[in-house]
Amino acid sequence: MNKTFSIAIDGPAGAGKSSVAKALAAQLGAMYLDTGAMYRAFGLAMLRAGVDIHDHDAVAAHADSVVIDVDYVDGGQRICLAGKDVTDAIRTPQVSEAASAISAVAEVRRRMVALQQQIARGHNVIMDGRDIGTAVLPDATLKVYLTASALERARRRCLELEQKGTPQPLEQVLAEIEARDYRDTHREASPLVVAPGAVTVDTSDMDMEQSVAALMALAADAGIHR
Ligand code: DC
């Protein structure tokens, strides 16, 4: 019988979690789940429905009715809201804000965690997010807290935005990252913390290749192989 493995990668916005997790999933032949995309889809649903994203009760009232599906097309994750693909629509600053706000609502988290556990069941899986090692996969084979300085994360985000043709000033991106860090670490429901048993990897001075190599080495140490 093949024993399944799971890798939990948590950390602040812009630490490179999704790029590292995707590369790791490809090398280890595992499923990758970007849980942030699910909170983003929920946030987008609230914006579209005209719900005040800072009104906890109003957001909580929708926790069980928003229909979110995750599909895999050509090895890439697609996220659907009420059957419509919103993979690209969730990558805007407004949706980042909305996702951060609605992710503080316990009822939304309960629903998302249940969905994520259901998607992962029976698979070798690598998930990234904020509460994977603490709530979604508390028994993960390997837990990593991937981080980098706020300035370095802002620089990386600026580069991405520039490449997308939507450049923004570094000071603004840094301020947004710091505000989101604060909210994600200070909320009452599953705040971002270093999960018990997690290994912290600071990628401030690492490029993508070095970050992936560092995590592949940790995976091998944990007995995880393709
Ligand atoms: O990783 P991301 O930037 O796409 O996540 C968007 C927001 O969703 C982020 O501000 C925090 C929230 N989130 C969360 O609370 N728990 C997760 N497992 C993933 C994301």
mmCIF file of all heavy atoms in Angstrom, residues 23-42:
data_model
loop_
_atom_site.group_PDB
_atom_site.id
_atom_site.type_symbol
_atom_site.label_atom_id
_atom_site.label_comp_id
_atom_site.label_asym_id
_atom_site.label_seq_id
_atom_site.Cartn_x
_atom_site.Cartn_y
_atom_site.Cartn_z
ATOM 1 N N ALA A 23 6.401 24.212 -7.970
ATOM 2 C CA ALA A 23 7.615 23.528 -8.426
ATOM 3 C C ALA A 23 7.805 22.226 -7.662
ATOM 4 O O ALA A 23 8.159 21.182 -8.232
ATOM 5 C CB ALA A 23 8.829 24.444 -8.245
ATOM 6 N N LEU A 24 7.538 22.275 -6.371
ATOM 7 C CA LEU A 24 7.683 21.088 -5.526
ATOM 8 C C LEU A 24 6.684 20.002 -5.949
ATOM 9 O O LEU A 24 7.022 18.817 -6.036
ATOM 10 C CB LEU A 24 7.378 21.515 -4.086
ATOM 11 C CG LEU A 24 8.271 21.004 -2.986
ATOM 12 C CD1 LEU A 24 9.712 21.403 -3.222
ATOM 13 C CD2 LEU A 24 7.806 21.543 -1.630
ATOM 14 N N ALA A 25 5.450 20.435 -6.220
ATOM 15 C CA ALA A 25 4.408 19.489 -6.627
ATOM 16 C C ALA A 25 4.807 18.804 -7.930
ATOM 17 O O ALA A 25 4.620 17.590 -8.088
ATOM 18 C CB ALA A 25 3.069 20.210 -6.779
ATOM 19 N N ALA A 26 5.386 19.582 -8.864
ATOM 20 C CA ALA A 26 5.798 18.996 -10.143
ATOM 21 C C ALA A 26 6.926 17.988 -9.910
ATOM 22 O O ALA A 26 6.910 16.884 -10.461
ATOM 23 C CB ALA A 26 6.249 20.102 -11.097
ATOM 24 N N GLN A 27 7.884 18.350 -9.068
ATOM 25 C CA GLN A 27 9.026 17.448 -8.845
ATOM 26 C C GLN A 27 8.628 16.197 -8.069
ATOM 27 O O GLN A 27 9.194 15.132 -8.268
ATOM 28 C CB GLN A 27 10.139 18.184 -8.094
ATOM 29 C CG GLN A 27 10.762 19.273 -8.962
ATOM 30 C CD GLN A 27 12.095 19.783 -8.407
ATOM 31 O OE1 GLN A 27 12.793 19.069 -7.692
ATOM 32 N NE2 GLN A 27 12.445 20.997 -8.759
ATOM 33 N N LEU A 28 7.657 16.325 -7.175
ATOM 34 C CA LEU A 28 7.282 15.183 -6.336
ATOM 35 C C LEU A 28 6.057 14.442 -6.880
ATOM 36 O O LEU A 28 5.614 13.459 -6.296
ATOM 37 C CB LEU A 28 6.996 15.663 -4.907
ATOM 38 C CG LEU A 28 8.214 16.180 -4.134
ATOM 39 C CD1 LEU A 28 7.786 16.876 -2.836
ATOM 40 C CD2 LEU A 28 9.191 15.046 -3.822
ATOM 41 N N GLY A 29 5.508 14.934 -7.988
ATOM 42 C CA GLY A 29 4.333 14.289 -8.576
ATOM 43 C C GLY A 29 3.126 14.370 -7.658
ATOM 44 O O GLY A 29 2.359 13.406 -7.547
ATOM 45 N N ALA A 30 2.942 15.500 -6.984
ATOM 46 C CA ALA A 30 1.836 15.653 -6.037
ATOM 47 C C ALA A 30 0.836 16.688 -6.538
ATOM 48 O O ALA A 30 1.120 17.461 -7.451
ATOM 49 C CB ALA A 30 2.376 16.088 -4.674
ATOM 50 N N MET A 31 -0.345 16.690 -5.938
ATOM 51 C CA MET A 31 -1.368 17.688 -6.263
ATOM 52 C C MET A 31 -1.020 18.980 -5.527
ATOM 53 O O MET A 31 -0.577 18.941 -4.385
ATOM 54 C CB MET A 31 -2.716 17.153 -5.764
ATOM 55 C CG MET A 31 -3.840 18.126 -5.820
ATOM 56 S SD MET A 31 -5.208 17.476 -4.813
ATOM 57 C CE MET A 31 -6.345 17.103 -6.088
ATOM 58 N N TYR A 32 -1.229 20.117 -6.193
ATOM 59 C CA TYR A 32 -0.991 21.404 -5.535
ATOM 60 C C TYR A 32 -2.312 22.115 -5.321
ATOM 61 O O TYR A 32 -3.115 22.212 -6.251
ATOM 62 C CB TYR A 32 -0.062 22.268 -6.399
ATOM 63 C CG TYR A 32 -0.065 23.722 -5.990
ATOM 64 C CD1 TYR A 32 0.291 24.089 -4.701
ATOM 65 C CD2 TYR A 32 -0.442 24.722 -6.874
ATOM 66 C CE1 TYR A 32 0.265 25.423 -4.305
ATOM 67 C CE2 TYR A 32 -0.463 26.052 -6.494
ATOM 68 C CZ TYR A 32 -0.117 26.396 -5.204
ATOM 69 O OH TYR A 32 -0.150 27.706 -4.820
ATOM 70 N N LEU A 33 -2.542 22.592 -4.119
ATOM 71 C CA LEU A 33 -3.748 23.379 -3.869
ATOM 72 C C LEU A 33 -3.373 24.741 -3.305
ATOM 73 O O LEU A 33 -2.788 24.845 -2.218
ATOM 74 C CB LEU A 33 -4.691 22.646 -2.905
ATOM 75 C CG LEU A 33 -6.020 23.360 -2.632
ATOM 76 C CD1 LEU A 33 -6.865 23.486 -3.899
ATOM 77 C CD2 LEU A 33 -6.834 22.624 -1.564
ATOM 78 N N ASP A 34 -3.724 25.780 -4.068
ATOM 79 C CA ASP A 34 -3.512 27.168 -3.662
ATOM 80 C C ASP A 34 -4.765 27.601 -2.898
ATOM 81 O O ASP A 34 -5.786 27.932 -3.499
ATOM 82 C CB ASP A 34 -3.319 28.001 -4.940
ATOM 83 C CG ASP A 34 -3.368 29.500 -4.690
ATOM 84 O OD1 ASP A 34 -3.508 29.927 -3.534
ATOM 85 O OD2 ASP A 34 -3.277 30.247 -5.689
ATOM 86 N N THR A 35 -4.698 27.543 -1.572
ATOM 87 C CA THR A 35 -5.915 27.815 -0.781
ATOM 88 C C THR A 35 -6.265 29.308 -0.781
ATOM 89 O O THR A 35 -7.425 29.673 -0.600
ATOM 90 C CB THR A 35 -5.761 27.334 0.675
ATOM 91 O OG1 THR A 35 -4.700 28.059 1.308
ATOM 92 C CG2 THR A 35 -5.474 25.848 0.733
ATOM 93 N N GLY A 36 -5.260 30.165 -1.009
ATOM 94 C CA GLY A 36 -5.529 31.610 -1.074
ATOM 95 C C GLY A 36 -6.517 31.918 -2.186
ATOM 96 O O GLY A 36 -7.367 32.810 -2.062
ATOM 97 N N ALA A 37 -6.421 31.152 -3.294
ATOM 98 C CA ALA A 37 -7.316 31.378 -4.433
ATOM 99 C C ALA A 37 -8.770 31.161 -4.012
ATOM 100 O O ALA A 37 -9.682 31.826 -4.524
ATOM 101 C CB ALA A 37 -6.952 30.441 -5.583
ATOM 102 N N MET A 38 -8.992 30.252 -3.058
ATOM 103 C CA MET A 38 -10.362 29.978 -2.613
ATOM 104 C C MET A 38 -10.905 31.157 -1.787
ATOM 105 O O MET A 38 -12.059 31.556 -1.952
ATOM 106 C CB MET A 38 -10.400 28.665 -1.820
ATOM 107 C CG MET A 38 -9.964 27.477 -2.688
ATOM 108 S SD MET A 38 -9.707 25.932 -1.781
ATOM 109 C CE MET A 38 -11.400 25.503 -1.377
ATOM 110 N N TYR A 39 -10.058 31.721 -0.917
ATOM 111 C CA TYR A 39 -10.483 32.916 -0.157
ATOM 112 C C TYR A 39 -10.691 34.097 -1.103
ATOM 113 O O TYR A 39 -11.594 34.913 -0.921
ATOM 114 C CB TYR A 39 -9.461 33.261 0.938
ATOM 115 C CG TYR A 39 -9.487 32.265 2.071
ATOM 116 C CD1 TYR A 39 -8.668 31.141 2.057
ATOM 117 C CD2 TYR A 39 -10.377 32.424 3.132
ATOM 118 C CE1 TYR A 39 -8.708 30.207 3.077
ATOM 119 C CE2 TYR A 39 -10.432 31.495 4.161
ATOM 120 C CZ TYR A 39 -9.594 30.377 4.126
ATOM 121 O OH TYR A 39 -9.659 29.454 5.130
ATOM 122 N N ARG A 40 -9.843 34.184 -2.127
ATOM 123 C CA ARG A 40 -9.998 35.256 -3.116
ATOM 124 C C ARG A 40 -11.330 35.106 -3.848
ATOM 125 O O ARG A 40 -12.038 36.095 -4.082
ATOM 126 C CB ARG A 40 -8.838 35.204 -4.125
ATOM 127 C CG ARG A 40 -7.550 35.732 -3.559
ATOM 128 C CD ARG A 40 -6.368 35.508 -4.499
ATOM 129 N NE ARG A 40 -5.164 36.037 -3.904
ATOM 130 C CZ ARG A 40 -4.744 37.295 -4.051
ATOM 131 N NH1 ARG A 40 -5.416 38.133 -4.820
ATOM 132 N NH2 ARG A 40 -3.666 37.719 -3.446
ATOM 133 N N ALA A 41 -11.667 33.872 -4.240
ATOM 134 C CA ALA A 41 -12.933 33.648 -4.951
ATOM 135 C C ALA A 41 -14.110 34.046 -4.061
ATOM 136 O O ALA A 41 -15.070 34.678 -4.516
ATOM 137 C CB ALA A 41 -13.049 32.191 -5.379
ATOM 138 N N PHE A 42 -14.013 33.699 -2.764
ATOM 139 C CA PHE A 42 -15.084 34.084 -1.840
ATOM 140 C C PHE A 42 -15.168 35.605 -1.740
ATOM 141 O O PHE A 42 -16.255 36.188 -1.754
ATOM 142 C CB PHE A 42 -14.850 33.458 -0.457
ATOM 143 C CG PHE A 42 -16.070 33.507 0.418
ATOM 144 C CD1 PHE A 42 -16.862 32.383 0.570
ATOM 145 C CD2 PHE A 42 -16.438 34.679 1.058
ATOM 146 C CE1 PHE A 42 -18.005 32.427 1.354
ATOM 147 C CE2 PHE A 42 -17.579 34.740 1.845
ATOM 148 C CZ PHE A 42 -18.365 33.610 1.994
#
